[in-house]
Amino acid sequence: MTDLLRRYSDTLTALSREGLLRRLPDTDTAADLLDFSGNDYLGLAHRPELVEAAAEAGRRFGAGATGSRLLSGNTPLHEAFEARIARDKGAEAALVFSSGYQANAAAIAALLDKGALGAEPLVFADRLNHASMHLGCTLAGARQLRYRHLDLAHLQALLEQHADDNRPKAILSETVFGMDGDLADVAQLQALSLRSGALLYLDEAHATGVFGPHGYGLAETIELAPSTVVMGTLSKALGVSGGYVACSGLVRDYLINRAGGFIFSTAPSPLVLGAALCAWEMLPGLGPERAALLERAERLRVALRGLGLDTGASTTQIVPVLLGDPLRTVAARDELAARGIRVSAVRPPTVPQGTSRLRLGLSAAHTDQDMTRLVEALRAL
Ligand SMILES: Cc1ncc(COP(=O)(O)O)c(C=O)c1O
């Protein structure tokens, strides 16, 4: 083995020793398990309407986009979907990407670009933001000033501390936090951003489809300022894949010219966008499913607390069971799998040290019986 390969092997051995080794789930057994590990919050991923919409879009526009949007990949479907997202999010414009990860990495890197801004920006970021948001900052070479999770008093104090600093400022936050299932106060975040002259970038990956009067996300409840950029995914409640950014027309034009992950990547497939647009159009009619989902999540939290389990500050369809130790978390996940239930064991670096957890992702497709089975399996741990 070359020295380089030995180092990879040593890394895997060390991860395994610490309970941090990741393995792909076994596909033979996965289909038989009751699944609480996904993000298909509205149960749309297997809906025949979406599959048919994908096929129809494929027939009209092709299976693949054949090139980047700036070359051969721009279709009326891409443009129509973006117009729809913009309208429904209350933004002037929108831009779709092949994944949410790509959207965050590309858009944040471009928005924080020192060259365009004339100086390194001051970036105020929630401590628990997603890895793809960190990547965007890293690509831009922008250092982050991390505020305590959801602590807007801390954010305000940091903003005041830097009030006399003339460098451009940006605030980055998820709206529903994917590993904790708690909510950011979007109105307050936008108020703070406007008061301090900062750009506000909100990630609605886990809110899109589940929150907002019509299911378009938490930012649906505020009037978006031109300096607010709202990102979301088509991969979670919408049941497909892809990401989007809803923003001003100016920011869209800027991203088309400066976001590497948009410029140098093939446009999202019409198959994917056809299915995602079908799901998007269903959102306003899924109010009862959203209400039932959130009610079920609340009943689950009450039951789990009754078992002495710690569900953190979750108030959404994402319910963590905090166990702390990674080895214990992996053992609990495996024990649940042996009982026919699949959950995620989330460990560092995805979450901070000492906060390893089982992550329960609820779906409108779960039944009351499924919920009872889950609680009974957790009781037996
Ligand atoms: C908060 C957040 N943002 C972005 C992403 C990336 O989205 P996608 O899975 O569509 O690439 C995720 C996915 O895990 C996420 O949780």
Side-chain angles (χ1 to χ4, degrees):
M1 214 188 273
T2 64
D3 186 43
L4 193 124
L5 294 179
R6 190 166 312 108
R7 283 173 191 273
Y8 298 153
S9 168
D10 292 348
T11 301
L12 292 175
T13 306
L15 285 172
S16 181
R17 209 174 28 242
E18 292 159 31
L20 297 177
L21 188 69
R22 298 171 198 246
R23 281 185 202 286
L24 293 176
D26 177 0
T27 52
D28 287 340
T29 51
D32 300 329
L33 299 181
L34 174 55
D35 193 7
F36 285 94
S37 67
N39 300 311
D40 184 20
Y41 304 129
L42 294 172
L44 295 182
H46 289 88
R47 288 278 283 259
E49 303 95 304
L50 269 65
V51 177
E52 183 42 44
E56 178 54 25
R59 281 190 286 272
R60 288 187 63 196
F61 301 109
T66 77
S68 102
R69 291 283 294 287
L70 287 163
L71 301 174
S72 59
N74 198 29
T75 72
L77 178 59
H78 292 81
E79 301 248 343
F81 196 2
E82 287 172 347
R84 181 72 199 251
I85 293 173
R87 188 195 82 182
D88 293 340
K89 296 290 275 191
E92 266 177 27
L95 198 61
V96 291
F97 292 77
S98 290
S99 79
Y101 189 92
Q102 191 185 30
N104 271 340
I108 293 174
L111 293 168
L112 302 183
D113 181 60
K114 285 188 218 119
L117 298 178
E120 183 183 328
L122 286 169
V123 181
F124 302 85
D126 189 290
R127 223 186 126 235
L128 297 189
N129 279 344
H130 191 256
S132 52
M133 300 172 83
H134 297 313
L135 176 60
C137 296
T138 305
L139 289 173
R143 204 168 47 91
Q144 298 179 61
L145 297 159
R146 305 264 192 104
Y147 58 90
R148 287 187 292 272
H149 178 51
L150 293 181
D151 186 344
L152 299 194
H154 188 208
L155 169 60
Q156 184 169 359
L158 287 175
L159 287 166
E160 280 165 11
Q161 220 174 299
H162 293 88
D164 295 333
D165 194 321
N166 285 332
R167 282 177 288 176
K169 299 185 176 92
I171 299 170
L172 312 183
S173 178
E174 295 181 37
T175 62
V176 169
F177 279 80
M179 295 301 138
D180 291 82
D182 46 9
L183 299 171
D185 182 339
V186 291
Q188 181 65 10
L189 276 168
Q190 182 164 271
L192 284 173
S193 75
L194 292 175
R195 215 175 306 148
S196 54
L199 176 103
L200 176 62
Y201 186 97
L202 297 172
D203 176 332
E204 297 250 66
H206 298 275
T208 306
V210 181
F211 286 90
H214 302 92
Y216 300 132
L218 273 173
E220 197 189 337
T221 55
I222 57 171
E223 192 174 326
L224 296 185
S227 55
T228 297
V229 175
V230 183
M231 170 273 176
T233 56
L234 310 172
S235 52
K236 306 195 190 296
L238 288 154
V240 192
S241 74
Y244 66 85
V245 168
C247 54
S248 66
L250 167 74
V251 167
R252 181 178 190 264
D253 288 345
Y254 174 74
L255 292 177
I256 287 172
N257 283 277
R258 280 287 179 268
F262 177 84
I263 299 167
F264 302 111
S265 183
T266 298
S269 156
L271 297 176
V272 165
L273 282 200
L277 177 55
C278 174
W280 186 276
E281 287 172 341
M282 289 164 78
L283 291 181
L286 295 174
E289 281 80 357
R290 279 190 280 282
L293 175 69
L294 295 176
E295 210 176 285
R296 189 176 285 152
E298 180 53 24
R299 283 204 302 274
L300 175 65
R301 280 186 291 272
V302 170
L304 297 185
R305 277 188 226 119
L307 298 178
L309 295 171
D310 181 359
T311 58
S314 160
T315 53
T316 69
Q317 76 283 8
I318 299 159
V319 181
V321 177
L322 291 153
L323 297 176
D325 175 55
L327 288 165
R328 185 173 167 221
T329 306
V330 170
R333 177 199 61 194
D334 292 346
E335 216 172 306
L336 288 172
R339 291 172 191 276
I341 293 181
R342 180 166 159 191
V343 303
S344 308
V346 188
R347 295 156 282 163
T350 307
V351 291
Q353 292 289 344
T355 71
S356 288
R357 75 227 23 216
L358 301 176
R359 178 185 184 274
L360 311 176
L362 272 52
S363 165
H366 289 133
T367 63
D368 287 346
Q369 217 178 356
D370 294 338
M371 300 310 295
T372 306
R373 262 186 74 192
L374 173 65
V375 173
E376 288 314 310
L378 284 162
R379 187 197 302 279
L381 276 185

